[in-house]
Amino acid sequence: MDEKNVSLEKVREEFVTQWGVMGAQWGINRTMAQIHALLMTAPEVLSTDEVMGSLEISRGNAHTNLKDLVAWGLVRIVTKKGERKEFFEAEKDVWEIFRRVARERKRREIDPALETLRHCKEQTAEMKTPEARAFHEQMVQLEDFVSFGSKMGDRVATLPHGKAMKLAMKIFS
Amino acid sequence: MDEKNVSLEKVREEFVTQWGVMGAQWGINRTMAQIHALLMTAPEVLSTDEVMGSLEISRGNAHTNLKDLVAWGLVRIVTKKGERKEFFEAEKDVWEIFRRVARERKRREIDPALETLRHCKEQTAEMKTPEARAFHEQMVQLEDFVSFGSKMGDRVATLPHGKAMKLAMKIFS
DNA sequence: ATTTGCTTTCTGTAACTACTGAAAGTTCAC
DNA sequence: GTGAACTTTCAGTAGTTACAGAAAGCAAAT
């Protein structure tokens, strides 16, 4: 590896580290975010052993997080002819990454939250005390807002990149 | 407390619990989210002791998280005439809550992330190897996307509730 | 200047999450 | 079948975060 690529690797490491920090702040396992960053900036597909080596993590850890990334739809498994090993490749298109994260978080977190809000709303629908009315109203507000946001997310996530951009322009007009 | 309010309290507890779970998934301290839920659904302002009592948490914990909520702009300190104690009151308007969370997360997390992306982009701007070009290009994509999202957030967050709704309608058209 | 009522900070601990290293499982080759 | 290459699971441990309880700090009232 020549001089130039040594410094590239340094920058890349910085990126991987920071992507990990960011992930952690958003409730995502730091290692998972780091593997994602590593794969996003990898010129070729990587094997589990290569990921282990790069990040200096154990096989178990690498394996679990790689499979989680696959479950999130952010990483694909790739096999090479004549090799039994699995290789991993990340989705690199930012818009596609965004869509998949949005879809997955909606499914895992937003939808269950909406369930709770609906339940709390319904349970208090018939209550007559001022406190209960206020509580009910607050639940209505929250549910409307969250379900609205959720629908927006759906809508945006089904848009292809180009259309999303046009729409964005409209918003700024 | 009569029969009806007993069941209201049960529903409210469910809400508080679930809001806590949701917060945790989004990288927010569970207790902080619970206090927020409690205050959002409180008919009156609450004192530290009342929060402690409701959630069965220690004074230190209640205090720290209340002050964090104030720092996030989600809770206000209120004083009553003739009382030395501080009371707390949550912002209840969902749109306002959203705006404040958006603004704060941008400041705390998005802006630093953008800094890193810019740095990685700049550091690799002059490199000529194909790997470096690809890395640089990926950084450009990411930075464009994040900074675009960030600006959108700014824009949306400055809109009053009504205008935001109109805009949303436009998107669905 | 002491007491009282309240807020803030701090230290040790408990609870939780993430991780390692190894064992067990699978699949294919021979 | 046995072995080799690789994947998956798991139990114990390390590391991290959140928390209780107590001590310290502060300001007003007396």
Side-chain angles (χ1 to χ4, degrees):
Chain A
M1 190 175 287
D2 67 16
E3 180 66 29
K4 274 179 184 170
N5 278 349
V6 170
S7 57
L8 173 60
E9 278 315 303
K10 281 197 111 171
V11 179
R12 195 172 163 214
E13 265 176 42
E14 181 189 344
F15 172 65
V16 168
T17 303
Q18 283 307 117
W19 201 249
V21 171
M22 199 183 163
Q25 285 169 331
W26 287 83
I28 286 157
N29 181 309
R30 193 176 64 240
T31 304
M32 182 168 147
Q34 285 180 346
I35 297 178
H36 183 230
L38 190 74
L39 286 170
M40 263 201 303
T41 56
E44 304 286 345
V45 295
L46 298 182
S47 67
T48 303
D49 290 77
E50 284 164 334
V51 171
M52 287 167 62
S54 271
L55 300 178
E56 302 184 42
I57 58 176
S58 72
R59 183 172 302 283
N61 196 11
H63 175 80
T64 309
N65 285 296
L66 278 165
K67 286 303 154 85
D68 282 353
L69 281 165
V70 171
W72 274 77
L74 295 172
V75 165
R76 266 191 295 286
I77 298 172
V78 175
T79 48
K80 290 186 185 176
K81 289 175 204 160
E83 293 222 50
R84 285 166 65 182
K85 221 187 302 220
E86 286 183 339
F87 293 86
F88 300 90
E89 176 180 53
E91 173 58 55
K92 292 188 181 182
D93 180 76
V94 283
W95 179 246
E96 193 55 36
I97 293 169
F98 170 74
R99 287 168 34 147
R100 297 198 180 171
V101 172
R103 197 183 313 145
E104 210 56 23
R105 290 209 94 139
K106 170 171 156 33
R107 191 177 67 74
R108 297 181 191 211
E109 292 143 22
I110 307 289
D111 290 347
L114 272 176
E115 268 318 296
T116 303
L117 291 173
R118 289 211 179 95
H119 181 244
C120 291
K121 189 178 76 174
E122 280 159 20
Q123 291 293 304
T124 52
E126 310 297 332
M127 295 186 186
K128 297 282 187 280
T129 63
E131 298 83 45
R133 298 312 305 145
F135 179 89
H136 180 73
E137 180 55 22
Q138 186 70 21
M139 292 302 109
V140 170
Q141 295 290 318
L142 280 169
E143 204 235 304
D144 283 357
F145 184 80
V146 177
S147 91
F148 181 75
S150 171
K151 277 177 196 144
M152 293 273 292
D154 275 351
R155 191 68 197 278
V156 171
T158 55
L159 291 172
H161 199 160
K163 293 217 171 183
M165 279 304 160
K166 274 191 191 164
L167 195 56
M169 290 308 137
K170 223 168 141 187
I171 290 174
F172 279 114
S173 67
Chain B
M1 189 175 287
D2 67 16
E3 179 68 29
K4 274 179 184 170
N5 279 350
V6 170
S7 56
L8 172 61
E9 279 314 302
K10 282 196 107 171
V11 180
R12 194 170 163 216
E13 266 176 42
E14 180 190 345
F15 172 65
V16 168
T17 303
Q18 283 305 119
W19 201 249
V21 171
M22 200 183 160
Q25 285 169 332
W26 287 84
I28 285 156
N29 181 309
R30 193 175 65 242
T31 306
M32 182 167 147
Q34 286 179 346
I35 296 177
H36 183 229
L38 190 73
L39 286 170
M40 264 201 302
T41 57
E44 304 286 345
V45 296
L46 297 182
S47 67
T48 302
D49 289 77
E50 284 164 333
V51 171
M52 287 166 63
S54 272
L55 300 178
E56 303 184 41
I57 57 176
S58 71
R59 182 171 304 283
N61 196 11
H63 174 80
T64 308
N65 284 297
L66 278 165
K67 286 303 154 85
D68 282 354
L69 281 165
V70 171
W72 274 76
L74 295 172
V75 165
R76 267 190 294 286
I77 298 171
V78 175
T79 48
K80 290 186 186 179
K81 289 176 204 158
E83 293 223 49
R84 287 167 61 182
K85 223 190 304 225
E86 287 183 339
F87 294 86
F88 300 89
E89 175 181 55
E91 173 58 53
K92 292 187 180 180
D93 180 77
V94 284
W95 179 247
E96 193 56 36
I97 293 169
F98 170 73
R99 286 169 34 147
R100 297 198 179 170
V101 171
R103 198 181 314 145
E104 210 57 22
R105 289 208 94 139
K106 170 172 156 32
R107 193 177 67 74
R108 296 181 191 212
E109 292 144 21
I110 307 289
D111 290 348
L114 272 177
E115 269 316 296
T116 303
L117 291 173
R118 289 209 180 97
H119 181 243
C120 291
K121 190 178 77 175
E122 280 159 22
Q123 292 292 306
T124 51
E126 309 297 332
M127 295 186 187
K128 297 282 185 280
T129 63
E131 297 82 46
R133 298 313 305 146
F135 179 89
H136 181 73
E137 180 54 23
Q138 186 70 20
M139 292 303 109
V140 170
Q141 296 290 319
L142 281 168
E143 204 236 304
D144 282 357
F145 183 79
V146 177
S147 92
F148 181 74
S150 171
K151 278 177 196 143
M152 293 274 292
D154 274 351
R155 191 68 197 278
V156 170
T158 56
L159 293 170
H161 200 160
K163 293 217 172 183
M165 279 303 159
K166 274 192 190 162
L167 196 56
M169 289 308 137
K170 223 168 141 186
I171 290 174
F172 279 114
S173 66

